[in-house]
């Protein structure tokens, strides 16, 4: 498929929303954007598309909770003069090549590029070959592993791309990215423990990012919002591959029925509990949701 000949409408936010609907995601439209149940869960609804900085009104947010009665909270990014807590978005703009890095980092990239074959792969290949990389990554993050099951609809949708890094014909790492408007969003990156020594992660994200930013019309590659809880190793990695923290505000708003319970006092109690159970993913996530509900 020649990506250069595709109509820009294919990459529109409206087209992305329709695809999410076709995948069974619950979508609610408001004046400025859409809201959806990311990751297939129904407890937190995220603003969509994820790169838009919005300032939703109380009426808009109330409309989301009315349309999604099972939701606990909504989560979104605002401009720096908007509401929410000071935060950041991981982004990269052009130029992006080896020359922007220090000599020690360039050597790591070169090692990875020499050791790995980097190429686009199909989602069928990912389903067949990606289990080890997926399981190892989630285990390193302390998250329960799931099943890789990417269907033909993602394969047929040109806005989604899957890239793989191969070492000795084995899938050492993979990533999934989606183009929406003039942004590429890296939605997932996974890597197998056995091949980390080959710098497979660095070689993969470098190759994909450089390719994305070389395409006409692409202004930004996003590597995700500031997470709900800090992961020092992940932050260090993103900085090492040239991504930067673009200042934004991030906010979560709790559904009305939870606001009497989840206030500044109880959120501080939850934060202390998360500190006590530092290895518990659910506690850390809950504490992060609470943190972004409070002002700076």
């Amino acid at each position: 498929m020649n990506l250069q000949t595709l109509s820009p409408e294919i990459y529109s936010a409206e087209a992305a929303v329709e695809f999410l609907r076709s995948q069974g995601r619950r979508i609610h439209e408001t004046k400025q954007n859409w809201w959806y149940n990311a990751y297939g869960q129904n407890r937190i609804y995220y603003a969509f598309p994820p790169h838009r900085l919005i300032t939703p009104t109380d009426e808009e947010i109330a409309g989301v909770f009315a349309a999604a009665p099972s939701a606990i909270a909504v989560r979104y990014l605002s401009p720096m003069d908007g509401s929410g807590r000071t935060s950041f978005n991981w982004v990269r703009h052009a130029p992006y090549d080896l020359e922007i890095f220090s000599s020690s980092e360039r050597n790591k990239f070169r090692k990875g590029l020499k050791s790995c074959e980097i190429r686009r792969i199909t989602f069928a290949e990912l389903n067949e070959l990606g289990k080890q990389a997926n399981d190892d990554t989630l285990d390193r993050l302390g998250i329960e592993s799931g099943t890789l099951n990417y269907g033909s609809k993602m394969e047929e949708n040109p806005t989604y791309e899957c890239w793989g890094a191969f070492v000795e014909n084995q899938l050492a790492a993979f990533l999934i990215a989606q183009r929406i408007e003039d942004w590429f969003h890296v939605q997932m990156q996974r890597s197998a423990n056995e091949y980390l020594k080959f710098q497979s992660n660095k070689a993969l994200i470098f190759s994909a990012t450089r390719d994305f930013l070389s395409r006409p019309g692409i202004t930004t590659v996003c590597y995700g919002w500031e997470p709900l809880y800090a992961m020092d190793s992940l932050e260090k990695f993103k900085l090492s591959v040239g991504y930067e923290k673009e200042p934004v505000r991030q906010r979560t708003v709790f559904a009305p029925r939870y606001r009497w319970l989840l206030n500044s006092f109880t959120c501080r109690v939850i934060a202390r509990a998360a500190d006590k159970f530092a290895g518990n993913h659910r506690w850390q996530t809950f504490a992060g949701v609470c943190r972004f509900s409070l002002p700076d």
Side-chain angles (χ1 to χ4, degrees), residues 21-233:
R21 283 198 177 103
S22 76
Q23 297 295 287
R25 296 296 176 84
R26 298 176 181 177
I27 309 289
H28 178 67
E29 185 175 1
T30 56
K31 184 177 180 180
Q32 300 183 61
N33 62 298
W34 297 264
W35 304 80
Y36 80 119
N37 56 328
Y39 316 115
Q41 49 75 44
N42 292 311
R43 312 306 280 172
I44 301 177
Y45 274 63
Y46 288 72
F48 188 88
H51 55 269
R52 288 190 186 173
L53 306 183
I54 61 173
T55 53
T57 65
D58 292 342
E59 290 75 18
E60 287 178 279
I61 291 175
V64 179
F65 289 125
S70 63
I72 293 175
V74 297
R75 186 181 176 198
Y76 63 91
L77 299 184
S78 285
M80 288 303 293
D81 60 355
S83 62
R85 195 176 185 90
T86 302
S87 184
F88 59 84
N89 204 7
W90 285 107
V91 301
R92 182 69 219 183
H93 309 288
Y96 187 78
D97 215 324
L98 287 177
E99 286 70 23
I100 71 171
F101 296 98
S102 67
S103 59
S104 61
E105 288 298 334
R106 286 199 299 270
N107 289 336
K108 293 176 183 178
F109 284 117
R110 289 187 177 115
K111 177 181 178 180
L113 294 169
K114 182 178 180 180
S115 302
C116 303
E117 176 196 0
I118 312 294
R119 63 176 174 84
R120 292 273 301 273
I121 63 174
T122 67
F123 285 94
E125 287 179 282
L126 175 59
N127 288 335
E128 180 182 355
L129 304 174
K131 178 175 171 50
Q132 193 63 55
N134 187 65
D135 290 350
D136 285 355
T137 302
L138 295 181
D139 183 64
R140 292 196 300 268
L141 297 175
I143 302 173
E144 184 178 349
S145 181
T147 302
L148 288 175
N149 185 24
Y150 295 99
S152 59
K153 286 188 177 181
M154 286 188 72
E155 190 74 75
E156 295 164 0
N157 187 327
T159 70
Y160 285 93
E161 298 186 13
C162 188
W163 288 63
F166 290 82
V167 176
E168 298 174 349
N169 296 318
Q170 300 298 310
L171 185 60
F174 69 86
L175 67 77
I176 297 172
Q178 183 185 20
R179 177 178 173 178
I180 305 173
E181 299 176 333
D182 57 341
W183 286 55
F184 258 102
H185 294 270
V186 179
Q187 297 182 337
M188 175 188 295
Q189 185 167 353
R190 303 282 191 262
S191 54
N193 293 340
E194 181 180 356
Y195 304 106
L196 292 176
K197 61 186 176 183
F198 295 104
Q199 302 292 335
S200 54
N201 268 328
K202 280 183 175 288
L204 178 60
I205 190 63
F206 173 79
S207 298
T209 301
R210 182 173 60 177
D211 185 277
F212 298 154
L213 288 172
S214 72
R215 301 185 193 179
I218 297 299
T219 64
T220 312
V221 182
C222 178
Y223 214 162
W225 298 358
E226 178 185 1
L228 291 174
Y229 61 93
M231 291 176 275
D232 292 342
S233 60

Side-chain angles (χ1 to χ4, degrees), residues 263-277:
N263 51 50
S264 59
F265 173 76
T266 57
C267 283
R268 286 195 294 270
V269 172
I270 290 167
R272 287 196 291 270
D275 289 339
K276 182 177 181 179
F277 300 104

Side-chain angles (χ1 to χ4, degrees), residues 235-292:
E235 176 162 316
K236 183 179 178 181
F237 175 78
K238 291 184 178 183
L239 289 170
S240 76
V241 295
Y243 279 77
E244 301 168 336
K245 296 179 178 181
E246 182 177 74
V248 296
R249 290 193 179 276
Q250 183 175 165
R251 190 182 183 199
T252 58
V253 180
F254 290 113
R257 66 184 181 279
Y258 294 107
R259 290 175 195 166
W260 68 273
L261 174 64
L262 296 169
N263 51 50
S264 59
F265 173 76
T266 57
C267 283
R268 286 195 294 270
V269 172
I270 290 167
R272 287 196 291 270
D275 289 339
K276 182 177 181 179
F277 300 104
N280 187 294
H281 171 70
R282 287 186 175 87
W283 269 112
Q284 302 307 311
T285 300
F286 196 20
V289 171
C290 288
R291 179 166 64 93
F292 285 115

